[in-house]
Amino acid sequence: MRVAPTVPAIEAFAEMCKHKVSGVGVVSDGDGDELIAILSASDLRCIQPEHFGMLGLPVAEFLALLHGEDLHSSLVFKKKLQTSKTRVDMSAIIC
């Protein structure tokens, strides 16, 4: 199973539940179908209730915020995703 980086995280988690899998590959939606990340059920364990809104973000942005990475420095996403206006206190959610 795989998802595009632009799919909302909540939808990706719903698909994982539907297919009874604990993880999915996040695959670039370009020509190469390159594996760029893995979304896992364990990515949910660090989210506090006040950060549930992050689940509406595209999978790529969700994972970047969750793991404290700079999404926009990645060449894979540079042209595909717009800068999110979401402000999150990273110290409260980074595992």
Side-chain angles (χ1 to χ4, degrees):
M1 217 180 130
R2 64 187 190 172
V3 296
T6 54
V7 170
I10 192 74
E11 289 181 24
F13 284 119
E15 284 297 309
M16 289 168 52
C17 185
K18 178 180 168 184
H19 293 283
K20 298 180 178 164
V21 297
S22 61
V24 294
V26 181
V27 179
S28 66
D29 44 15
D31 296 330
D33 286 341
E34 178 184 357
L35 178 66
I36 53 177
I38 296 175
L39 180 67
S40 171
S42 66
D43 289 320
L44 287 172
R45 74 174 170 220
C46 298
I47 299 177
Q48 301 297 317
E50 59 269 19
H51 299 119
F52 284 166
M54 287 176 46
L55 293 168
L57 294 172
V59 171
E61 287 187 56
F62 170 80
L63 288 171
L65 281 172
L66 189 66
H67 297 291
E69 298 171 2
D70 180 9
L71 171 67
H72 301 289
S73 65
S74 169
L75 294 176
V76 175
F77 298 111
K78 205 168 203 176
K79 295 181 182 179
K80 294 183 182 179
L81 298 176
Q82 297 176 352
T83 303
S84 174
K85 300 286 185 207
T86 306
R87 298 281 185 237
V88 178
D89 177 9
M90 294 307 297
S91 65
I93 60 171
I94 295 175
C95 295

